[in-house]
Amino acid sequence: MNTPPSPPAAERTDGSSVRIGALVPLTRPGWVEAGQHLLAGLELAVGEVNDGGGIVGRPLELVVRDTAADPQRAAAAVDELARLGVAALAGEYHSVVARAAAARADTLGLPFLCSSAVLDALTEQPTEWVARLAPAQSHGWRIYADFLLSAGHSRIAVAAEPSVYWASGARILRDYLAPRGGTVIELDVRSLAPTAVCDELVDNRATALLLLVGHPEPAVSIVKSVRRDQRLAEIMIGAPAGQPEFAEWATLLGEDSTAIPFLRYLPERLSPLGARVETALRERLAEAPSFVAFEGYDTVAVLADVLRSHGADRARTAASWPRVAVEGTRGQIQFSRTPGISVWQWAWTPVQVVDRDPAQPDRFRILHAG
């Protein structure tokens, strides 16, 4: 691979900090709650690394930049963090933002461990500089499609907004379901009010509606309309992208927040490490941690291990992805080359389909695992 020289700041040996740049959505229109959980995991792990002696005696420092779900802002942040001499990049939740960051990191020769974004084509061309913890969208969403089929759904409507991420999700579902007798009906929410979405569901005899739309709006309004339409009493609402994972969903929708299956990336039972981290995250967040918080923690755990072994040299960090073997909160993390994926990929984190329990909305029921 092309190896741009590391700036002096990335190679200090005078006891100064080893810095990691963190990309996180912390303001609207970014998904702020997801960003807060991601940051909580990143910060918890950095604190533990430093309590354990840092990176060969040097403190690990997180340099945080808010992406606000803006790809251009993220690319500019990558440029700035590279100039500041960070050893590596971490984080990002939104796929289209992570894609912009990954492209810039690849150009600059800056290692980027992507925490949460799932879009298969995270970079246009294969790259040695980027690795990813989250499962690729095609992997997770096929597991979700299996769940739909096992639950008896073959006429599936998707309420979709225009974006690379939503279009990719709709295509994965359509390609997977069609050979198995499933039909995907696409509804463009730009031209349909929530009540018109209900009419389309009735006319198309859909048994399931998937929300491929932003949170909180228009997702919340669509759920309220469907739940109040007596004609749709039997329809299942689903949200493969995970909107119901966060407490804000339950706060905004109340009883309507339950029984909406979504994807999350946790094992059925956490390891002792996972359980300890869950307790610490719960204390830090003052609520149950989402899978995104665990992704943040695991990101720093991997980077700290690499930096201890290979120092803060960027090229050595990128070259070490295939040799990573780190015990994370959700299993042993290793990276490989996966067909159709342009970055180093952990294949695979545990995948579940879960929903909020109607009898106890703050409790999650595991419906399917892959």
Side-chain angles (χ1 to χ4, degrees):
M1 67 189 170
N2 295 327
T3 308
S6 295
E11 297 182 339
R12 289 176 183 153
T13 55
D14 58 4
S16 61
S17 62
V18 177
R19 296 197 276 184
I20 294 174
L23 303 174
V24 190
L26 294 173
T27 53
R28 297 283 186 197
W31 196 340
V32 174
E33 196 171 4
Q36 291 167 341
H37 279 235
L38 180 56
L39 184 59
L42 293 166
E43 290 179 337
L44 174 66
V46 167
E48 291 185 2
V49 168
N50 288 332
D51 289 345
I55 306 299
V56 197
R58 297 166 62 189
L60 189 61
E61 179 186 352
L62 207 60
V63 185
V64 181
R65 291 296 180 267
D66 172 23
T67 63
D70 182 336
Q72 290 178 304
R73 184 164 168 171
V78 174
D79 285 342
E80 181 199 1
L81 291 164
R83 287 195 302 272
L84 290 174
V86 300
L89 287 176
E92 195 45 51
Y93 177 79
H94 297 284
S95 279
V96 292
V97 180
R99 191 170 65 151
R104 199 74 197 116
D106 180 48
T107 299
L108 295 173
L110 181 57
F112 175 27
L113 180 49
C114 183
S115 304
S116 282
V118 299
L119 195 67
D120 281 38
L122 202 57
T123 54
E124 293 296 325
Q125 302 294 329
T127 175
E128 300 296 321
W129 294 99
V130 183
R132 173 167 55 189
L133 287 177
Q137 188 179 18
S138 58
H139 178 72
W141 286 45
R142 284 171 189 153
I143 291 170
Y144 194 92
D146 275 333
F147 159 72
L148 292 172
L149 293 170
S150 68
H153 297 289
S154 60
R155 292 192 62 78
I156 297 146
V158 297
E161 287 183 304
S163 90
V164 171
Y165 175 66
W166 298 125
S168 170
R171 185 176 62 254
I172 291 163
L173 293 168
R174 191 169 54 247
D175 291 350
Y176 190 83
L177 291 167
R180 295 164 177 82
T183 301
V184 174
I185 304 135
E186 294 194 44
L187 307 177
D188 185 348
V189 298
R190 290 175 302 175
S191 58
L192 294 171
T195 51
V197 168
C198 294
D199 294 337
E200 290 286 338
L201 295 174
V202 173
D203 292 345
N204 284 286
R205 306 189 317 283
T207 65
L209 168 67
L210 305 187
L211 302 170
L212 275 54
V213 295
H215 167 84
E217 290 299 336
V220 167
S221 293
I222 293 171
V223 171
K224 287 180 175 178
S225 286
V226 172
R227 286 279 161 91
R228 278 153 185 68
D229 193 318
Q230 291 301 311
R231 302 172 298 170
L232 300 170
E234 300 300 317
I235 201 165
M236 187 205 87
I237 306 174
Q243 294 94 326
E245 167 78 5
F246 297 96
E248 184 185 22
W249 178 266
T251 301
L252 291 171
L253 280 164
E255 291 181 1
D256 289 339
S257 69
T258 64
I260 298 178
F262 64 94
L263 286 166
R264 73 171 179 179
Y265 310 125
L266 290 175
E268 189 171 351
R269 287 185 185 81
L270 289 166
S271 66
L273 170 64
R276 179 183 67 73
V277 170
E278 180 185 38
T279 299
L281 286 169
R282 187 182 291 269
E283 188 174 314
R284 183 176 283 260
L285 289 162
E287 64 184 15
S290 68
F291 68 83
V292 179
F294 290 95
E295 289 174 329
Y297 183 95
D298 287 343
T299 302
V300 170
V302 169
L303 287 175
D305 183 77
V306 169
L307 292 168
R308 286 191 199 102
S309 301
H310 303 286
D313 179 84
R314 293 170 176 176
R316 285 202 294 268
T317 294
S320 71
W321 297 135
R323 295 190 294 277
V324 164
V326 172
E327 189 60 37
T329 58
R330 298 160 301 144
Q332 177 86 355
I333 299 169
Q334 295 179 287
F335 299 113
S336 60
R337 284 298 189 187
T338 304
I341 310 298
S342 58
V343 301
W344 287 99
Q345 175 71 52
W346 179 19
W348 301 98
T349 178
V351 178
Q352 301 172 342
V353 180
V354 303
D355 70 359
R356 289 182 176 270
D357 188 344
Q360 194 178 337
D362 61 349
R363 192 179 84 86
F364 295 105
R365 305 182 295 186
I366 299 173
L367 308 175
H368 187 81

